[in-house]
């Protein structure tokens, strides 16, 4: 196991003073034993109403995007602003599994690389929002690793924006398809989702497991993908969660922990709003994230994110689990 690197990141005082007395870790519910709905901390659609709104605006002012990045953002904003069709007056009736199976069309057409469905839980909806729609369709789009690996350089940042653009376009397309069949459907796009958490439903519908770096690890794409979603009342069949040994792997791996410049990734889980989970320290992470106009180093260095590595790691973990089970049975 590699020894921990010595980092020397010092947050910019012009940024940290904008955090005032707010604690992102407290707002996130670190140490709280009871479950509750989340409170918006970062990526607020309206910074004027958010605790860290001034800091978020500083983040915007700090970056220096080139014309290609600006064009990618204009394209994403245009997609997010697109209207969706009116809901058809006559509902198309088909079995729930047929609904879910038909999501494959969006993968086949290249709109996205992953889809899944799960019932929406109240604890995934931000405490300033409400929805009566019972199901959530999750959408995943894969990064180009050869571009992503350059983060936090702008080259890597462009691929982040590029995939958020793809994810938003896919969510709009799925929502339009559902509405044309007579059901409600609202697209939710990142990074400013505004309404719901993205990672918990993505885990619940089978995208993967939570990694030490606070992002999902998927055995096909590692952590190198982005999410969008569609809230709907269409009667989809749920897709099951998948576990393949990530939790055990992360407990023994320190790659992202060592690579994190502000040392925001810790070796142990924490209780967050009643759940023991991997958690990235907001107070350490966000100053570096803001100063570099986005980071994603932990995602890029994650061993699972290397192309084709995830499936071989999964096989190794399965063999290890079988060996440990055999040894335990002999005792």
């Amino acid at each position: 196991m590699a020894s921990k690197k010595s980092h020397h990141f010092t947050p910019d005082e012009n940024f940290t003073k904008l955090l005032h007395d707010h604690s992102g870790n407290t707002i996130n519910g670190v140490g709280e034993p009871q479950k509750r709905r989340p409170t918006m901390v970062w990526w607020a659609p309206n910074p004027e109403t958010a605790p860290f709104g001034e800091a978020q605006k500083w983040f915007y002012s700090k970056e220096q995007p080139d014309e290609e990045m600006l064009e990618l953002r204009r394209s994403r904003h245009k997609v997010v602003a697109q209207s969706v069709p009116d809901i058809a007056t006559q509902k198309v009736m088909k079995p729930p599994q047929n609904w879910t199976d038909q999501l494959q069309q969006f993968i086949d057409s290249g709109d996205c690389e992953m889809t899944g469905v799960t019932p929406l839980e109240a604890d995934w909806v931000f405490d300033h929002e409400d929805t009566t729609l019972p199901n959530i369709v999750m959408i995943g789009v894969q990064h180009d690793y050869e571009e992503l690996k350059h983060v936090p350089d702008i080259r890597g940042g462009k691929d982040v924006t590029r995939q958020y653009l793809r994810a938003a376009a896919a969510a709009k397309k799925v929502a339009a398809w559902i509405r044309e069949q007579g059901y409600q459907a609202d697209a939710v796009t990142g990074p400013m989702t505004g309404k719901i958490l993205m990672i918990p439903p993505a885990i619940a519908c089978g995208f993967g497991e939570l990694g030490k770096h606070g992002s999902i690890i998927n055995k096909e794409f590692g952590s190198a993908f982005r999410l969008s979603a569609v809230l709907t009342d269409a009667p989809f069949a749920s897709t099951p969660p998948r576990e393949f040994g990530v939790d055990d792997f992360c407990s023994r791996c320190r790659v992202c922990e060592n690579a994190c410049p502000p040392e925001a990734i810790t070796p142990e889980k924490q209780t967050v709003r009643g759940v023991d989970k991997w958690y990235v320290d907001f107070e350490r992470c966000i100053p570096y994230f803001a100063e570099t106009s986005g980071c994603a180093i932990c995602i890029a260095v994650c061993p699972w994110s290397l192309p084709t590595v995830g499936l071989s790691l999964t096989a190794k973990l399965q063999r290890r689990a079988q060996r440990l089970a055999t040894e335990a049975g002999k005792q």
Side-chain angles (χ1 to χ4, degrees):
M1 180 179 295
S3 60
K4 192 171 183 65
K5 292 181 181 178
S6 177
H7 298 296
H8 302 285
F9 171 69
T10 302
D12 189 320
E13 292 183 0
N14 293 315
F15 176 81
T16 56
K17 71 181 181 182
L18 297 176
L19 301 177
H20 303 297
D21 294 327
H22 299 301
S23 167
N25 292 332
T26 299
I27 295 172
N28 276 331
V30 175
E32 292 183 16
Q34 301 298 322
K35 288 188 176 182
R36 66 166 171 86
R37 293 168 65 182
T39 300
M40 180 67 68
V41 178
W42 194 257
W43 291 127
N46 181 7
E48 301 297 335
T49 64
F52 294 102
E54 292 180 47
Q56 189 172 316
K57 288 189 286 186
W58 185 94
F59 161 75
Y60 296 146
S61 68
K62 178 72 174 179
E63 63 180 354
Q64 296 180 331
D66 60 16
E67 184 54 38
E68 182 182 10
M69 176 68 93
L70 290 172
E71 181 56 34
L72 284 168
R73 289 181 177 169
R74 284 192 289 265
S75 297
R76 183 176 64 82
H77 293 157
K78 184 177 179 180
V79 167
V80 170
Q82 283 179 354
S83 59
V84 290
D86 292 336
I87 300 172
T89 56
Q90 186 171 352
K91 291 184 176 180
V92 174
M93 307 303 293
K94 50 192 169 187
Q97 190 59 50
N98 187 268
W99 275 98
T100 299
D101 290 344
Q102 288 188 342
L103 290 171
Q104 181 66 35
Q105 65 182 299
F106 300 100
I107 297 175
D108 293 342
S109 64
D111 295 305
C112 60
E113 282 70 53
M114 290 181 285
T115 61
V117 187
T118 190
L120 181 68
E121 294 189 11
D123 287 346
W124 300 341
V125 182
F126 282 111
D127 56 11
H128 67 280
E129 290 282 353
D130 286 296
T131 181
T132 60
L133 299 177
N135 293 322
I136 179 167
V137 177
M138 293 304 303
I139 298 164
V141 295
Q142 186 182 11
H143 276 292
D144 179 342
Y145 182 77
E146 290 303 311
E147 299 299 314
L148 178 69
K149 70 182 183 181
H150 295 282
V151 292
D153 183 79
I154 191 172
R155 179 176 173 181
K158 287 176 184 177
D159 196 61
V160 173
T161 304
R162 191 175 295 114
Q163 301 315 322
Y164 273 129
L165 167 59
R166 288 188 63 222
K172 290 284 185 172
K173 193 170 181 179
V174 172
W177 169 67
I178 294 172
R179 293 170 74 93
E180 288 167 351
Q181 297 180 81
Y183 296 85
Q184 296 184 63
D186 295 335
V188 184
T189 64
M192 297 178 186
T193 59
K195 185 179 287 288
I196 60 169
L197 297 175
M198 290 283 201
I199 290 178
I203 293 173
C205 77
F207 277 20
E209 299 179 62
L210 188 66
K212 182 184 282 190
H213 49 26
S215 295
I216 298 176
I217 292 177
N218 170 276
K219 67 179 179 180
E220 292 84 9
F221 310 125
S223 300
F225 63 95
R226 297 287 158 169
L227 301 171
S228 63
V230 177
L231 298 172
T232 183
D233 61 353
F236 284 90
S238 298
T239 52
R242 294 189 297 167
E243 294 185 358
F244 39 91
V246 165
D247 204 57
D248 177 56
F249 181 92
C250 285
S251 69
R252 294 177 289 111
C253 178
R254 296 185 63 179
V255 172
C256 67
E257 189 183 338
N258 289 346
C260 179
E263 299 182 339
I265 300 173
T266 57
E268 285 124 13
K269 293 182 179 180
Q270 299 188 59
T271 301
V272 182
R273 298 192 305 278
V275 178
D276 290 334
K277 59 187 287 189
W278 298 114
Y279 175 80
V280 177
D281 190 313
F282 181 91
E283 315 294 339
R284 290 175 176 267
C285 175
I286 205 64
Y288 186 83
F289 181 93
E291 194 156 332
T292 58
S293 300
C295 181
I297 289 173
C298 56
I299 291 174
V301 302
C302 178
W304 292 83
S305 293
L306 293 168
T308 74
V309 167
L311 294 176
S312 63
L313 280 175
T314 300
K316 289 179 181 179
L317 289 172
Q318 289 174 341
R319 291 194 296 270
R320 180 176 187 272
Q322 291 170 355
R323 185 181 72 252
L324 292 176
T326 300
E327 292 173 355
K330 293 178 179 179
Q331 293 178 356

